[in-house]
Amino acid sequence: MGNTSPSDIWSKEEALAYYINLYNAATVQLILNNYPTKSIKDIKDPWGKEWVRIGSETFSLGDIEHKILRKMNEPRIHFAINCASFSCPKLLNEAYTSEKIEDQLQQASEDFVNDPTRNIISKEKLQLSNIFKWYKKDFTENGSLIDYIKTYSQKDIDPKADIKYVTYDWSLNEKK
């Protein structure tokens, strides 16, 4: 992927698919390069070290997430990119593609919001992943956090429901 550099003529869908796939592939490569490890956080500067090549430039995982993906104003990226930790969204079992990205992001969002190992949702009380706390601004551009979650939740949620955040499990999400 590093040999292909996105261009200005790419559609938003093409760029989103490319950068999501690149981020996830680079994260997996980072874990493999440092395996065995118990957590991505045990790796020195996992999000700050510039080592991911895109054309002739080098980026960090943090650059890809914060300076590229988040600037695309698509909050569902938080459910598509994976940090190799148990509390992160699950990796999709296929590559993101420009043709399918809308459906893929929709599915990733629904899966994450309704996953009881990551979020516990009832009408009156939400126990949410810290992803919703850390990136709240991304999710509340057009309304409240509850409004955003209701878009994907299979459960009815009271607009005044109590919100708490669950402890994030940074342990490596690996088959045991």
Side-chain angles (χ1 to χ4, degrees), residues 112-116 118-129 145-147 149-150 152-164 166:
F112 184 78
V113 166
N114 294 293
D115 183 342
R118 287 156 178 85
N119 302 287
I120 302 168
I121 297 174
S122 68
K123 184 171 181 71
E124 303 294 329
K125 186 176 179 184
L126 306 176
Q127 295 175 52
L128 301 177
S129 165
L145 184 56
I146 289 175
D147 291 336
I149 291 168
K150 283 172 75 170
Y152 304 102
S153 177
Q154 296 168 346
K155 296 184 180 175
D156 187 36
I157 303 170
D158 186 300
K160 295 181 181 176
D162 183 49
I163 299 176
K164 296 210 181 329
V166 296

Side-chain angles (χ1 to χ4, degrees), residues 20 24 34 48 60 92 95 103 130 138 142 158-159 169:
I20 290 169
N24 289 336
N34 290 277
S60 69
L92 194 62
D103 290 338
N130 272 300
D138 294 359
N142 300 310
D158 186 300
D169 184 349

Side-chain angles (χ1 to χ4, degrees), residues 27-28 31 39-40 82-86 88-89 170-174:
T27 299
V28 170
I31 296 299
S39 169
I40 192 171
N82 185 282
C83 65
S85 301
F86 181 78
C88 285
W170 286 100
S171 61
L172 193 64
N173 189 13
E174 66 180 333

Side-chain angles (χ1 to χ4, degrees), residues 52-115:
V52 183
R53 190 174 54 80
I54 303 173
S56 61
E57 297 184 70
T58 307
F59 296 84
S60 69
L61 287 171
D63 291 337
I64 296 167
E65 179 179 4
H66 300 292
K67 295 179 180 175
I68 299 171
L69 280 167
R70 288 184 67 204
K71 295 212 185 262
M72 293 182 175
N73 296 316
E74 175 48 82
R76 296 177 297 176
I77 59 114
H78 297 293
F79 313 126
I81 59 175
N82 185 282
C83 65
S85 301
F86 181 78
S87 289
C88 285
K90 294 177 183 175
L91 273 175
L92 194 62
N93 199 19
E94 63 184 11
Y96 284 85
T97 64
S98 59
E99 300 81 21
K100 293 173 33 180
I101 194 148
E102 180 58 36
D103 290 338
Q104 290 171 316
L105 288 173
Q106 183 71 21
Q107 189 63 55
S109 301
E110 290 173 9
D111 289 349
F112 184 78
V113 166
N114 294 293
D115 183 342

